[in-house]
Each structure stands twice: as structure tokens, then as C-alpha cells.
Amino acid sequence: PVFAQRTQLKPPWNIYSPNTDIQVGKQNAQLMMQRLPLCNDPKVDQYLTNLGVKLVSKLDQRGVTYPWEFHCVNDKSINAFALPGGYVFVNRGAIEAADSESQLAAVMGHELSHVTLRHGTAQATKAQFAQGAASIFGGIFGGSTGGALLTQGVALGAGGLLLRYSRTDETQADVSGTQVLYDAGYDPRAMSQFFEKLE
């Protein structure tokens, strides 16, 4: 009965295959791992992986098997991001700022939702049609901003929030992330609590 009242989320229009998400994510993840100061702490990575896998088990992955990976970044800023295909990077700052595991799970649930709703390549789809570009992934590693750039303004850079998601994408990730939190046994209010901190 609880599920009957749930907001059903429909992933945005996307011309790319989930396989493209995985390929693009993997290439960019390799680049990130060279450029970002990773924590290189197996215990922390294992903790993030255990938490991530627990959340992923409650996500609607729509029949796709993603190669989920979880990495700790040794950076004090409160940030986390997930590349398409399930390559997840969580800053030490986000781990330290969370008052509870529920709050860290909230941040991760939000980011994991962007992956399964495939918002990254959906944005690329929009950009491609807005600009009539022949191949959006033509210059994956173009640009000198310190991050890998997908052409046509769909940016994956180290530092800021990587993909420029639309307001609708963010709302979808909030809803999906909150549902996942609840299903994984965490306090769903942790999502708003953590985002209040970020303000």
C-alpha cells in the first residue's frame, strides 16, 4: 500500500544506450583517478562500497547492470558526484560533514539516482538536439579546465558539480534518493537535513 502512493519516475528522453553511459563513465573515471587526490584508504573505500551496494540494491536500475565503483577523494569540500555508468566519488569533506550514516546515505542515494535515471546522457541528448551536433562524444577529452569535457557543454570536470543537471533532474534524484533511503532503512529526512547544511 505504501508503494501505491509513490511518485513514479520516468527517466528523461535519451538517445544513448546504457552501455554508452558505462563507457563514458569509465573513461572519465580513469581520468579522475589520475587527477584527483584519492584517499587511498582501503577501509574508507570499503565502507563507501558497502554503503553504496546497500543503496544500489534498493534502486530501480531498469534492467541494466552497472559496474558500480566507490572512491573516497581526499578533499575537504563537501561534495560527491557519480559519473554515468556508476563511478562514484565521495569527498572526505562530505563524509566528515555528515552527522549520521543516514545523511551520507542521502547524498549517495541522490547521486546514485542520477546514474540509474541516466541524467548525464539525457543532458547530452538535449544538448545534441539543441545544437545539431553530429557526435557529442567526439572530443571527450577536449578542454583544458582540469576535467574531462564532453563537448557541447555537457561538462565533466573535477571540482564543481560535474554534470550540469536540470532542475527537473535534481528533483527526480531527490525523490528517488529519498525512496532509496527509506527502503534501505535510513531516515528519509536525512536528505533535507544534509542539504540544509550545504546552504
Side-chain angles (χ1 to χ4, degrees):
V2 179
F3 289 95
Q5 290 131 33
R6 288 209 160 178
T7 308
Q8 294 303 310
L9 295 172
K10 191 171 178 288
W13 179 51
N14 200 322
I15 57 171
Y16 297 101
S17 70
N19 215 28
T20 303
D21 287 51
I22 293 167
Q23 284 172 331
V24 168
K26 186 176 186 179
Q27 282 175 307
N28 281 278
Q30 285 166 345
L31 201 75
M32 293 293 166
M33 287 165 76
Q34 291 161 15
R35 296 192 176 176
L36 293 174
L38 297 179
C39 297
N40 293 320
D41 184 333
K43 273 207 295 260
V44 177
D45 283 341
Q46 191 55 56
Y47 171 74
L48 291 175
T49 299
N50 292 346
L51 178 52
V53 166
K54 183 174 174 182
L55 296 170
V56 162
S57 73
K58 303 295 181 188
L59 263 175
D60 180 359
Q61 299 185 61
R62 298 177 172 79
V64 184
T65 305
Y66 292 102
W68 298 98
E69 277 183 20
F70 299 87
H71 303 280
C72 170
V73 181
N74 194 5
D75 184 324
K76 285 208 272 285
S77 59
I78 302 174
N79 196 12
F81 61 89
L83 298 174
Y87 300 87
V88 185
F89 294 82
V90 181
N91 280 8
R92 201 185 71 193
I95 299 171
E96 290 169 352
D99 293 327
S100 63
E101 187 168 274
S102 290
Q103 289 188 4
L104 183 58
V107 177
M108 289 174 68
H110 176 99
E111 294 303 327
L112 300 178
S113 296
H114 281 307
V115 173
T116 56
L117 289 159
R118 305 186 53 229
H119 286 153
T121 45
Q123 284 295 352
T125 296
K126 266 197 269 194
Q128 176 152 348
F129 279 82
Q131 308 186 21
S135 163
I136 197 116
F137 296 126
I140 282 190
F141 300 121
S144 57
T145 51
L149 291 183
L150 296 180
T151 51
Q152 314 305 324
V154 181
L156 294 180
L161 261 178
L162 298 230
L163 292 147
R164 298 192 197 119
Y165 295 122
S166 68
R167 198 50 252 154
T168 313
D169 290 350
E170 293 296 354
T171 304
Q172 278 198 331
D174 285 344
V175 171
S176 166
T178 304
Q179 291 173 352
V180 165
L181 269 187
Y182 177 82
D183 292 341
Y186 293 105
D187 182 350
R189 290 169 302 194
M191 181 79 75
S192 55
Q193 288 163 358
F194 194 82
F195 285 120
E196 274 165 32
K197 277 185 174 236
L198 292 182
E199 313 279 286

